[in-house]
């Protein structure tokens, strides 16, 4: 659980905004109207309230700033030193001290002016005292404007700090710049630390999390450290030194044995010996990185000696920490090929876990618990060996219990027999019968006192297929007998020639159709007005029919008959001579009306047989009642939130009664 969360600190406003916030709130939250005709006690209370309210708001705002910023003496030493490195503890305390002083001065100003307002003898004097009190408060806040701006910058920077829990299981990575610390961090955690081929890419602490043996570990990537005096180190290096000094963590000291980082093994060994005091009482692992460029066995004798000296120092450190295990002190790894990455992580987590368990076992609380237990160890009575013997009955009972625990479920049967969709659960398996073999018997179906199964033919499917084949043969013979094929014995020479032309034309059409199906010309038939090639015209059809010896007039005349339909209707209307004028000068409008009257639809009140109405009057009444019944429903359906309807044009609460003060805006 993260103990410190600096992201929750309230924003610190600038001095000018601070004053505007307090004065506008005072104006909005206190009465604004006072007259010189009021009693003097009422006038005094009016202005005293304003002064007191402003002082309370200033006090609350400043108190929030003081309380929410962490106190360096009360928080964990790691955060205390980290804030000192980043912001200078003296400046930080001085800024908070000025805020506290301003709060007390504002309280004193309010107290003094409230005492003077008690004896104000006029509205003018009370108002002047109020203005003076608020002015002095605002002057105090203006004087601390630099401190407010400084604290706001600190708040913004603290909100960007990583959430590090100093008390949880932690793995700390340190070493020279550009030795592969951030690459290892990205491999073992889900953090996304920037990796570049130059020094000091990482300028602050980065936190990631990894799991080992179902426990969550906090991995911290620190900036690179250079081998130089403590006083010469910059803020970036001091962040790493602070983490090494105060966090109880497993330390991974990274060593670049290839020299590609820009620093030799001698320089890295010197850094190790200069900061080895920070490794005391902590699990330490020396990680030789970049073995893909330079294996550990290929180092020179001098470099190998330096590495072995570092290993010896690490052995002393882990011995002081109470860890007798000497394995895994010096490990090799390559973040480029992932060779040995998981081994390094597991070794660090295992060492840290063992150390934390040992510390808990040595604590006073654990000693008090162990004192309550007594383990009885029996003394041997002779030198005879008595091996462990488990009775056969116990083994058999254990095997039966295991078999009962591993009872097959319906899901197991389903997987064994083909899975879902293939296996069907038998509903008869739980039938209670005298013999289990009877469960899958087919139940008899009784019809007219007889068992239907006794009359079923096992070869019924084959016989049905034979009947179908026989019926198909008979149908083919009948079709062959009924088929009529034109032969050349009954036709004349002229008819034979026409028949041959028709057959040729039919063969050509079939061939053309097959060609269209094989190509992209297979498309729906379009109307003739879109027939650009004019393949299908009446003239062409007439020519083809004439070439065959057939009179085309009948076919062409029949196609034109559709266009004379209107003329026939007009001629029939003209034949009804009762309404026509003698001289034939009746308007075309009347002719059109008469022609349309033939297609007039049925009147709604006309009774159709089967509707259940006696006559058209009764049907009219029924239609009227149906309309009346739906009218109200239709009206109510329009009265909703989404409809553009004003239910009440003049609401009574807005258009009645006396208009009092402040009510005009309601209209």
């Amino acid at each position: 659980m993260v103990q410190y969360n600096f992201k929750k600190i309230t924003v610190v406003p600038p001095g000018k905004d601070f004053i505007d916030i307090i004065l506008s709130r005072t104006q909005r939250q206190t009465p604004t109207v006072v007259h010189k005709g009021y009693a003097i006690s009422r006038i005094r209370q009016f202005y005293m309230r304003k002064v007191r309210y402003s002082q309370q708001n200033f006090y609350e705002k400043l108190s929030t700033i003081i309380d929410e910023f962490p106190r360096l003496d009360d928080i964990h030493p790691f955060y205390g030193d980290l804030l000192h490195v980043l912001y200078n503890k003296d400046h930080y305390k001085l800024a908070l001290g000025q805020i506290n002083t301003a709060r007390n001065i504002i309280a004193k100003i309010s107290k003094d002016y409230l005492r003077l307002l008690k004896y104000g003898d006029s509205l003018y004097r009370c108002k002047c005292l109020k203005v003076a009190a608020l002015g002095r408060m605002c002057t105090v806040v203006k004087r601390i404007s630099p401190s407010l701006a400084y604290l706001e910058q600190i708040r913004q920077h603290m909100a960007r700090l990583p959430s590090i829990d100093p008390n949880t299981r932690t793995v700390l990575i340190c070493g020279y710049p550009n030795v592969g610390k951030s690459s290892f961090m990205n491999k073992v955690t889900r953090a996304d630390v920037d990796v570049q081929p130059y020094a000091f890419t990482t300028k602050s602490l980065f936190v990631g999390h990894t799991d080992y043996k179902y426990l969550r570990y906090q991995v911290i990537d620190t900036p690179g450290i250079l081998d130089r005096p403590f006083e010469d180190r910059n803020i970036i290096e001091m962040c790493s030194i602070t983490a090494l000094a105060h966090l109880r963590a497993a330390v991974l000291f990274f060593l670049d044995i290839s020299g590609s980082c820009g620093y030799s093994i001698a320089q890295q060994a010197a850094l190790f010996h200069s900061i080895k005091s920070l490794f005391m009482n902590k699990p330490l692992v020396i990680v030789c990185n970049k073995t893909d460029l330079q294996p550990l066995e290929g180092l020179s004798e001098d470099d190998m000696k330096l590495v072995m000296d570092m290993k010896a120092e690490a052995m002393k450190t882990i011995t002081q920490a109470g860890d007798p295990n000497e394995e895994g002190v010096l490990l090799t790894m390559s973040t480029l090929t992932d060779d040995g990455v998981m081994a390094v992580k597991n070794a660090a987590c295992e060492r840290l876990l063992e150390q934390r368990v040992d510390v808990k076992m040595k604590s006073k609380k654990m000693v008090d618990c162990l004192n309550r237990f007594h383990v009885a160890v029996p003394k041997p009575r002779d030198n005879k060996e008595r091996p462990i013997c488990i009775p056969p009955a116990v083994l058999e009972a254990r095997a039966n219990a295991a078999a009962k625990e591993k009872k097959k479920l319906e899901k197991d049967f389903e997987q064994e027999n083909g899975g879902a969709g293939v296996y069907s659960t038998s509903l008869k398996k739980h039938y209670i019968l005298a013999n289990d073999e009877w469960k899958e018997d087919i139940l008899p179906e009784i019809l007219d006192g007889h068992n239907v199964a006794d009359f079923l033919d096992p070869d019924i499917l084959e016989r049905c297929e034979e009947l179908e084949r026989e019926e198909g043969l008979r149908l083919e013979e009948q079709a062959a007998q009924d088929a009529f094929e034109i032969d050349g014995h009954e036709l004349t020479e002229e008819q034979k020639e026409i028949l041959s032309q028709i057959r040729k034309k039919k063969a050509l059409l079939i061939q053309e159709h097959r060609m269209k199906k094989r190509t992209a010309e297979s498309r729906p038939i379009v109307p003739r007005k879109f027939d650009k090639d004019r393949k299908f015209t009446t003239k062409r059809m007439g020519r083809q029919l004439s070439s065959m010896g057939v009179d085309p007039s009948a076919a062409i005349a029949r196609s034109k008959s559709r266009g004379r339909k209107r003329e026939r209707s007009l001629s029939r209307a003209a034949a009804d001579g009762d309404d026509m004028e003698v001289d034939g000068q009746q308007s075309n409008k009347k002719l059109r009306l008469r022609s349309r009257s033939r297609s007039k639809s049925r009147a709604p009140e006309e009774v159709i047989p089967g509707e259940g109405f006696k006559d058209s009057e009764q049907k009219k009444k029924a239609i009227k009642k149906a309309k009346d019944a739906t009218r109200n429903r239709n009206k109510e359906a329009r009265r909703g939130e989404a409809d553009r309807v004003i239910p009440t044009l003049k609401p009574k609460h807005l258009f009645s009664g006396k208009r009092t003060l402040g009510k005009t805006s309601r209209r």
Side-chain angles (χ1 to χ4, degrees):
M1 181 179 176
V2 179
Q3 208 167 8
Y4 305 101
N5 187 5
F6 300 135
K7 296 179 177 61
K8 293 184 178 180
I9 300 176
T10 308
V11 177
V12 181
K16 186 176 183 304
D17 295 347
F18 203 113
I19 294 170
D20 292 342
I21 290 169
I22 300 302
L23 293 184
S24 64
R25 182 179 294 177
T26 303
Q27 186 69 11
R28 284 184 288 109
Q29 299 294 334
T30 56
T32 56
V33 178
V34 65
H35 298 291
K36 60 182 180 180
Y38 289 168
I40 189 63
S41 58
R42 185 175 175 182
I43 295 173
R44 291 170 186 164
Q45 290 297 327
F46 177 85
Y47 288 110
M48 288 171 67
R49 182 175 179 181
K50 285 188 177 293
V51 173
R52 191 182 296 112
Y53 188 83
S54 300
Q55 182 265 332
Q56 288 174 355
N57 278 281
F58 276 118
Y59 192 91
E60 289 173 3
K61 280 278 186 183
L62 296 174
S63 298
T64 302
I65 295 173
I66 295 170
D67 295 339
E68 290 189 353
F69 275 87
R71 296 185 180 181
L72 300 184
D73 298 333
D74 297 342
I75 61 176
H76 194 275
F78 163 69
Y79 273 116
D81 281 4
L82 182 64
L83 297 180
H84 172 56
V85 167
L86 295 173
Y87 316 122
N88 193 336
K89 149 173 93 172
D90 297 334
H91 293 173
Y92 179 78
K93 287 185 175 180
L94 188 61
L96 288 178
Q98 287 182 351
I99 301 296
N100 188 31
T101 304
R103 182 180 64 173
N104 296 333
I105 290 174
I106 289 174
K108 186 174 182 301
I109 290 171
S110 172
K111 186 177 179 182
D112 293 343
Y113 275 88
L114 286 175
R115 189 180 295 116
L116 292 173
L117 278 167
K118 285 183 181 179
Y119 302 100
D121 55 356
S122 65
L123 186 147
Y124 176 74
R125 188 160 298 179
C126 291
K127 185 175 181 179
C128 290
L129 289 172
K130 185 265 296 185
V131 171
L134 296 184
R136 289 187 62 185
M137 291 180 192
C138 295
T139 303
V140 172
V141 174
K142 282 182 182 178
R143 288 178 181 173
I144 62 171
S145 294
S147 298
L148 294 173
Y150 172 72
L151 289 175
E152 173 59 16
Q153 291 181 359
I154 290 180
R155 184 199 68 80
Q156 293 177 4
H157 193 275
M158 289 174 68
R160 294 192 293 269
L161 288 178
S163 298
I164 298 174
D165 187 358
N167 301 315
T168 190
R169 295 168 290 275
T170 307
V171 177
L172 195 65
I173 309 171
C174 66
Y176 254 91
N178 202 23
V179 295
K181 302 186 295 296
S182 299
S183 300
F184 175 77
M185 175 87 165
N186 291 340
K187 293 288 184 182
V188 300
T189 69
R190 296 183 63 184
D192 187 14
V193 186
D194 188 21
V195 177
Q196 298 294 340
Y198 49 81
F200 287 109
T201 306
T202 304
K203 298 181 180 179
S204 61
L205 300 176
F206 284 89
V207 180
H209 294 84
T210 186
D211 292 332
Y212 178 71
K213 289 187 177 180
Y214 304 103
L215 294 174
R216 178 59 58 89
Y217 286 79
Q218 180 179 251
V219 184
I220 301 177
D221 180 21
T222 62
I225 309 173
L226 298 178
D227 182 26
R228 52 186 178 180
F230 185 82
E231 296 81 9
D232 297 339
R233 289 196 170 105
N234 57 24
I235 294 177
I236 297 175
E237 295 175 88
M238 288 304 299
C239 290
S240 301
I241 299 296
T242 304
L244 285 169
H246 294 290
L247 293 178
R248 297 168 53 193
V251 180
L252 297 178
F253 186 84
F254 271 59
L255 191 68
D256 184 2
I257 58 177
S258 68
S260 61
C261 64
Y263 306 98
S264 63
I265 295 179
Q267 289 175 307
Q268 299 178 59
L271 173 66
F272 177 83
H273 291 296
S274 66
I275 63 173
K276 66 182 179 181
S277 59
L278 300 174
F279 302 150
M280 292 299 175
N281 299 324
K282 295 176 185 176
L284 176 63
V285 178
I286 300 173
V287 182
C288 296
N289 193 17
K290 303 185 182 179
T291 54
D292 56 314
L293 299 176
Q294 172 66 55
L296 182 63
E297 295 79 12
L299 293 177
S300 62
E301 292 183 1
D302 295 339
D303 291 341
M304 184 61 77
K305 184 180 178 182
L306 291 173
V307 173
M308 289 298 113
D309 291 343
M310 294 169 63
K311 182 180 179 182
E313 290 292 337
M315 294 294 300
K316 293 180 183 178
T317 303
I318 63 174
T319 304
Q320 291 175 359
D323 186 3
N325 187 10
E326 299 180 359
E327 296 181 2
V329 176
L330 181 64
L331 297 175
T332 59
M333 181 187 72
S334 172
T335 55
L336 183 65
T337 61
D338 292 348
D339 184 20
V341 172
M342 288 297 111
V344 171
K345 185 200 86 167
N346 294 341
C349 296
E350 186 66 33
R351 284 183 173 280
L352 180 63
L353 194 61
E354 290 177 359
Q355 190 217 27
R356 289 172 68 91
V357 171
D358 291 342
V359 170
K360 286 185 178 179
M361 292 296 293
K362 293 176 182 178
S363 64
K364 182 179 178 182
K365 184 178 180 181
M366 189 59 65
V367 171
D368 294 342
C369 293
L370 290 175
N371 289 337
R372 302 175 189 174
F373 297 101
H374 173 69
V375 181
V377 180
K379 295 181 180 180
R381 60 191 180 194
D382 52 27
N383 295 328
K384 186 177 179 180
E385 293 185 3
R386 295 178 175 83
I388 297 173
C389 178
I390 301 176
V394 175
L395 293 175
E396 185 179 356
R398 188 181 299 172
N400 293 336
K404 287 181 180 179
E405 290 178 0
K406 295 181 180 179
K407 182 181 178 181
K408 274 195 173 184
L409 303 176
E410 201 66 33
K411 188 176 182 180
D412 301 329
F413 288 116
E414 180 181 326
Q415 292 176 354
E416 291 175 2
N417 295 287
V422 179
Y423 173 74
S424 180
T425 306
S426 176
L427 302 177
K428 303 177 182 179
K429 62 167 62 177
H430 299 298
Y431 283 5
I432 302 173
L433 300 175
N435 191 351
D436 289 341
E437 297 177 356
W438 298 349
K439 290 182 180 180
E440 300 300 330
D441 289 351
I442 299 174
L443 294 177
E445 296 183 17
I446 308 300
L447 181 65
D448 296 335
H450 301 284
N451 187 358
V452 177
D454 296 338
F455 299 92
L456 288 178
D457 190 350
D459 302 331
I460 188 168
L461 296 177
E462 296 177 2
R463 296 196 177 190
C464 287
E465 290 178 359
E466 290 179 3
L467 285 173
E468 289 178 359
R469 283 198 296 272
E470 185 179 350
E471 185 178 2
L473 293 173
R474 288 181 180 176
L475 290 174
E476 288 177 2
E477 292 176 1
Q478 184 68 28
Q481 291 176 4
D482 296 343
F484 174 73
E485 185 176 356
I486 300 175
D487 52 7
H489 300 293
E490 302 176 359
L491 299 175
T492 63
E493 292 297 331
E494 186 179 358
Q495 290 175 342
K496 285 180 182 179
E497 186 179 354
I498 293 171
L499 180 61
S500 63
Q501 290 180 3
I502 290 173
R503 285 177 175 169
K504 284 180 184 179
K505 183 65 176 177
K506 184 177 179 182
L508 287 172
L509 290 173
I510 292 172
Q511 188 176 0
E512 184 180 356
H513 178 66
R514 287 176 180 170
M515 289 290 291
K516 283 184 178 180
K517 285 188 71 174
R518 285 199 297 271
T519 61
E521 293 181 7
S522 178
R523 58 178 65 88
I525 299 172
V526 297
R528 289 187 182 178
K529 64 179 180 178
F530 300 112
D531 185 14
K532 303 298 183 184
D533 299 334
R534 306 297 293 172
K535 290 183 178 180
F536 308 102
T537 61
T538 55
K539 292 181 180 180
R540 181 179 175 185
M541 185 176 71
R543 287 197 302 268
Q544 289 178 353
L545 293 175
S546 299
S547 63
M548 291 185 213
V550 180
D551 184 14
S553 59
I556 295 172
R558 187 166 61 251
S559 66
K560 289 182 178 179
S561 62
R562 300 178 65 187
R564 297 202 306 267
K565 184 174 181 182
R566 188 172 183 82
E567 295 175 7
R568 285 200 304 272
S569 64
L570 290 173
S571 62
R572 287 177 185 175
D576 299 335
D578 297 336
D579 297 332
M580 296 293 289
E581 293 183 2
V582 178
D583 53 353
Q585 294 179 356
Q586 193 172 13
S587 64
N588 292 331
K589 184 177 179 182
K590 292 184 178 180
L591 290 175
R592 285 198 299 271
L593 290 173
R594 285 201 182 92
S595 64
R596 289 179 185 174
S597 63
R598 298 184 62 219
S599 60
K600 188 185 294 185
S601 58
R602 185 167 47 251
E605 62 271 5
E606 185 179 343
V607 178
I608 299 173
E611 284 187 337
F613 295 109
K614 183 173 64 175
D615 51 11
S616 60
E617 292 296 329
Q618 190 179 16
K619 189 173 181 180
K620 280 183 182 178
K621 290 181 180 178
I623 293 171
K624 187 177 182 303
K625 285 188 176 181
K627 287 182 178 179
D628 293 342
T630 57
R631 185 183 299 113
N632 291 332
R633 285 198 300 251
N634 292 340
K635 282 185 179 180
E636 291 299 326
R638 289 187 47 126
R639 295 168 69 90
E641 294 178 357
D643 298 318
R644 296 185 177 182
V645 174
I646 301 175
T648 307
L649 294 177
K650 290 189 175 183
K652 189 173 181 181
H653 70 286
L654 294 180
F655 291 89
S656 64
K658 179 184 175 182
R659 288 199 296 177
T660 56
L661 185 63
K663 295 291 184 179
T664 308
S665 61
R666 296 281 299 274
R667 294 166 179 79

